[in-house]
Amino acid sequence: MVIRSIFVLALLALTTFPASALTQLQASVDSNPIMEGETLVLTVTADDDINSGKLDTSALLKDFMVGRTSISRSKKIMNFDASNETRWQVLLSPKKAGNIVIPAFIIDGVSSTPIQLSVLKAGSQPQQMQNIFMRASLSNEEAYVGQMLTYTVKLYLALELQRGVLNAPDLNGAQIKQLGEDSDSTEIVNGRRYRVIERNYSIIADQPGELSITGASFAGDVLVQSRRNGAMFSFNESKPTQTQAPDIKVQIKPIPQDYHGEWLVSDLVVLKEDWPEKTVEYNIGDPITRTITLLASNTDETSLPEISLSAPAALKTYPEKAQRNTFLRENQMVAQLTQTTAIVATSGGTYTLPEIKVPWWNPHLNKQQFATLPARTIVIKGAVVAPPQPQQLQTQEPATNTSAGFWPWLSLVLALLWLVTLMLWINARKQIKAKPAAKAVIASSSPSSSFAELKVACDANNPTQVLNSISRYYTELYQRPMSLSQIAMTDDFIAKSISLMQKAAYAPVNTSSVNANSVNTSPVGSSKKPAEAVDYAKLINVVKAAKSEQQNVNTSALRQLNP
C-alpha cells in the first residue's frame, strides 16, 4: 500500500508540473517535389504545449495560397518523464513553378529549419503519382446567348475521403445551376484505380462574347497512413487537401439577325395538346378545356415563351396561369410549359381555332424552325347570330353612321347587363354578411363556392350567369366535365329550366327598339321574356337535393371499399 501511494504521488507530480519548456521546433512537408496546381501539407511540431496563436504564417503568403490550419495537442509519459507536443498543419498551394523556400518559423526564441521546395510544371509529373485531381468538360465549344451548356466536373480520389466540399465553378455574365444529384463510381487511370465523384451544372450565358469559367474546386480531408516518432505500427490520420479543375473559355454567339419571333434556342422543341381525336359537338355555354404543353430539350423553363391563343369573337377564352418546371430525362434537361385554357361559346355554329406556331433556333443546323399544332374545328349547337349584311348597310342614309351594325349596341347591352349583375352580386354579398345565421345554413347545405354563385345568379334573374354557374357546380359535383345536355338528363325540371334560360340568354337581340335608324338584322323577339317563367327558387332546391343524393352515393361506396 505504501509503495502504491508513493507511485501515485510521483505520477501526480510529473503530470502537474511541466518537465521542460520549448526546446525544439520542426517543420516538414508531405510532398517534395510537388506539381504546379497541387497542394501540400506543411507540418510544424513543437515539443511543448504552446499557444496556437504563436505560429506566424504570414511569410507564406508571398509564394503560396494558404488554406485552413488545423491544430492538435498531445501528452506523452515515458519512464516517469512527461512531454507535451503541439502540432500545426497548414494547407498550401504554390502560386508558381520553380524552387521556393519555406522560411524558418520562430516561437519563444526557438527556430525551425527552412525547407527548399521544388514545384514542377503542370503535366511534367505522371498522373498515376497523383492522389487527388479534378477534370472538367463542357458540352459545346461555342454556344448562343440563352443556350444551355452542360458543365461536367469529376473529382478523382486515390485515398479514402473523410469529408469535403465540392464548390461550383465561378463565372460572370451567365446563370449557373446544379443538375440532379452527384454520381459515385470508379475508374482506372493509367493503371491506377480511382474513386470518381461526378457533378453536372447548367450554364446559360446572358450576353455574347468570351465567357471565362474558373474551374470548380474541392477542399476536404483524406485519410493517409502515418508513422510518428519511429513507432512500430502505422495508423490512419486525417490530412487536409484541396484541388481545382482547370479553367475553360467558351465563345458565346449573339442572336442571329435573320431570326424572327421570341428567342428560344434548344436541341428540340415539341408542342402537344389534349384534344379529342373525333369531332365532338358542344352546346352553347359548355366549358371546353384545352391544355397545351410546350417541351424543349437542353434549355431552362424560364427561357420558354408564353403561348398566345387566338379564337373567333364568338368563343370566349379564359386562360389559366402557365405552369413551368424542369426535369431530367436520359441525362438531358427538359423544360416544360403547360397552358390550360377554358373556351365558352356564346352562339352556335362551326368555328376554327387557328394553328399555333412557336419559333425556335436549332444550334446544330444553325437555322430557325417551328413547333406547330394544327388548326382545330369546334361545332357548337344552338342559334346562329347572323352578322349584318353589306347590302343592308348600303341602303342607309349617308347622314346616319351605321357602318358598325348592331354589334356596338349589343356590346353596350351586354356591358349594362354585366354592370347590373355586378351590383346585384355586391348587394347579395352584403346581405350574406349581414345575416351570419343564413350564411351558416347555406354553407352547411352546400359548401361549394359554385353553389353560392348559382344562388346569387338566380337572385339576380340572370339566365346566362345561372347556366355558367350550374355547369361549374355539376362539374365539381360529378368530378368530371358536365355539359348542359348531360345536366338536363339528371332531372326533368332542370331540363325544362335550362331550355327556358338558353332561349332567354342566347336569343337574338331586337335592335330596332334601341335605335330607330339602326339596321334590324335579326328577327324581332317575343315581347314576353321566357326567362321569367323559370322558377329559380325550385331550381335551387332541386340542385341542392341532387348534391345530397350524390353525397349519399359516395358515402355508401366508401363504406363498401373500407369495411
Side-chain angles (χ1 to χ4, degrees):
M1 294 296 295
V2 175
I3 296 176
R4 180 179 299 179
S5 301
I6 294 174
F7 175 78
V8 172
L9 292 175
L11 182 62
L12 290 176
L14 289 174
T15 57
T16 303
F17 301 100
S20 60
L22 175 64
T23 60
Q24 189 177 17
L25 191 64
Q26 295 180 344
S28 63
V29 293
D30 64 338
S31 298
N32 194 2
I34 187 175
M35 192 169 65
E36 185 180 12
E38 290 187 340
T39 59
L40 73 154
V41 177
L42 169 67
T43 302
V44 180
T45 305
D47 62 348
D48 195 9
D49 189 357
I50 304 298
N51 188 335
S52 58
K54 287 189 175 183
L55 180 65
D56 185 9
T57 60
S58 59
L60 299 173
L61 297 175
K62 177 183 177 182
D63 299 314
F64 298 92
M65 291 186 294
V66 180
R68 66 191 181 105
T69 301
S70 60
I71 303 171
S72 61
R73 291 180 173 85
S74 62
K75 181 184 291 288
K76 182 173 60 176
I77 300 176
M78 183 177 293
N79 296 329
F80 299 101
D81 291 332
S83 61
N84 296 317
E85 183 180 271
T86 303
R87 173 177 295 190
W88 293 265
Q89 285 187 318
V90 186
L91 193 63
L92 301 177
S93 178
K95 295 182 179 180
K96 60 182 179 179
N99 294 323
I100 301 176
V101 177
I102 297 178
F105 301 96
I106 301 175
I107 299 178
D108 294 342
V110 180
S111 174
S112 65
T113 303
I115 300 175
Q116 293 285 341
L117 180 67
S118 178
V119 181
L120 306 178
K121 286 285 186 181
S124 61
Q125 181 185 8
Q127 202 166 57
Q128 62 264 26
M129 298 298 294
Q130 301 182 48
N131 292 324
I132 177 173
F133 63 94
M134 296 181 74
R135 290 177 178 175
S137 62
L138 210 58
S139 58
N140 299 90
E141 295 180 356
E142 59 180 10
Y144 287 93
V145 171
Q147 181 179 353
M148 176 181 289
L149 296 170
T150 302
Y151 178 92
T152 302
V153 59
K154 291 184 177 181
L155 172 66
Y156 291 80
L157 293 164
L159 301 175
E160 183 178 352
L161 178 64
Q162 187 178 25
R163 67 180 67 88
V165 177
L166 185 60
N167 300 309
D170 187 21
L171 58 139
N172 295 321
Q175 307 171 26
I176 184 170
K177 182 170 63 176
Q178 182 177 341
L179 300 177
E181 301 293 334
D182 297 344
S183 62
D184 200 334
S185 61
T186 59
E187 289 185 19
I188 297 179
V189 179
N190 295 330
R192 189 176 185 183
R193 183 180 296 275
Y194 287 87
R195 178 188 177 187
V196 181
I197 299 175
E198 179 178 340
R199 179 178 294 181
N200 294 319
Y201 294 91
S202 68
I203 297 177
I204 300 178
D206 299 328
Q207 54 190 3
E210 187 179 70
L211 178 64
S212 299
I213 304 175
T214 303
S217 60
F218 171 80
D221 295 328
V222 294
L223 294 178
V224 296
Q225 289 187 348
S226 177
R227 184 177 297 172
R228 294 183 183 176
N229 298 331
M232 182 179 300
F233 302 102
S234 62
F235 57 92
N236 290 335
E237 69 174 355
S238 177
K239 170 189 172 183
T241 184
Q242 68 181 25
T243 185
Q244 186 173 7
D247 299 341
I248 298 178
K249 294 183 178 181
V250 60
Q251 191 67 29
I252 304 300
K253 296 185 289 187
I255 300 175
Q257 295 182 356
D258 57 347
Y259 183 85
H260 302 285
E262 188 171 352
W263 175 248
L264 173 62
V265 55
S266 174
D267 293 344
L268 180 64
V269 178
V270 177
L271 271 175
K272 297 181 179 180
E273 69 171 335
D274 294 336
W275 195 263
E277 296 181 359
K278 298 181 180 180
T279 303
V280 179
E281 293 185 349
Y282 301 92
N283 294 320
I284 295 175
D286 291 348
I288 305 170
T289 302
R290 189 183 193 189
T291 301
I292 299 176
T293 303
L294 176 63
L295 297 170
S297 175
N298 279 341
T299 189
D300 191 74
E301 73 273 10
T302 58
S303 303
L304 298 180
E306 294 287 345
I307 301 175
S308 58
L309 303 178
S310 58
L315 301 180
K316 303 301 181 182
T317 58
Y318 304 93
E320 298 180 1
K321 184 179 180 180
Q323 301 295 324
R324 300 173 181 266
N325 65 307
T326 306
F327 56 91
L328 281 174
R329 178 179 293 174
E330 298 179 357
N331 295 327
Q332 283 192 343
M333 178 65 67
V334 179
Q336 176 178 299
L337 182 143
T338 303
Q339 178 69 65
T340 301
T341 304
I343 303 174
V344 179
T346 58
S347 63
T350 301
Y351 304 98
T352 300
L353 298 175
E355 178 189 43
I356 299 176
K357 298 178 67 175
V358 175
W360 62 284
W361 184 262
N362 190 328
H364 305 287
L365 303 178
N366 287 323
K367 70 175 184 178
Q368 182 173 356
Q369 295 181 323
F370 294 90
T372 60
L373 282 178
R376 300 295 185 184
T377 301
I378 300 178
V379 179
I380 307 297
K381 295 189 297 183
V384 179
V385 178
Q389 299 298 326
Q391 294 81 0
Q392 293 176 336
L393 295 177
Q394 294 174 3
T395 59
Q396 299 301 315
E397 296 179 4
T400 304
N401 183 13
T402 58
S403 59
F406 71 93
W407 292 107
W409 298 105
L410 179 59
S411 300
L412 178 60
V413 172
L414 292 177
L416 292 175
L417 290 176
W418 180 83
L419 289 175
V420 172
T421 304
L422 180 62
M423 295 297 295
L424 292 174
W425 181 81
I426 294 175
N427 188 28
R429 293 292 296 175
K430 292 181 179 179
Q431 293 178 358
I432 292 174
K433 291 181 179 180
K435 298 179 180 180
K439 180 178 180 181
V441 173
I442 294 175
S444 61
S445 61
S446 177
S448 174
S449 61
S450 59
F451 182 81
E453 294 176 2
L454 174 62
K455 188 176 183 303
V456 172
C458 290
D459 293 340
N461 193 13
N462 189 330
T464 302
Q465 189 65 31
V466 172
L467 290 173
N468 293 335
S469 299
I470 200 171
S471 177
R472 287 193 295 269
Y473 176 76
Y474 272 83
T475 296
E476 294 178 4
L477 181 64
Y478 286 87
Q479 297 297 313
R480 59 185 177 87
M482 292 288 293
S483 63
L484 293 177
S485 58
Q486 292 172 331
I487 297 172
M489 295 174 62
T490 61
D491 186 85
D492 294 338
F493 177 77
I494 293 179
K496 180 181 177 181
S497 300
I498 289 175
S499 177
L500 292 175
M501 287 185 291
Q502 284 180 333
K503 293 178 181 179
Y506 304 112
V509 179
N510 181 12
T511 59
S512 62
S513 61
V514 178
N515 191 336
N517 294 326
S518 61
V519 180
N520 184 5
T521 59
S522 60
V524 178
S526 174
S527 60
K528 181 180 179 181
K529 298 181 180 179
E532 296 178 357
V534 179
D535 189 350
Y536 289 112
K538 183 176 180 181
L539 179 62
I540 289 294
N541 294 330
V542 172
V543 171
K544 185 187 302 183
K547 183 178 189 303
S548 300
E549 293 173 0
Q550 181 65 18
Q551 285 180 337
N552 294 334
V553 172
N554 293 338
T555 303
S556 61
L558 291 174
R559 289 178 178 175
Q560 293 176 2
L561 293 175
N562 301 279

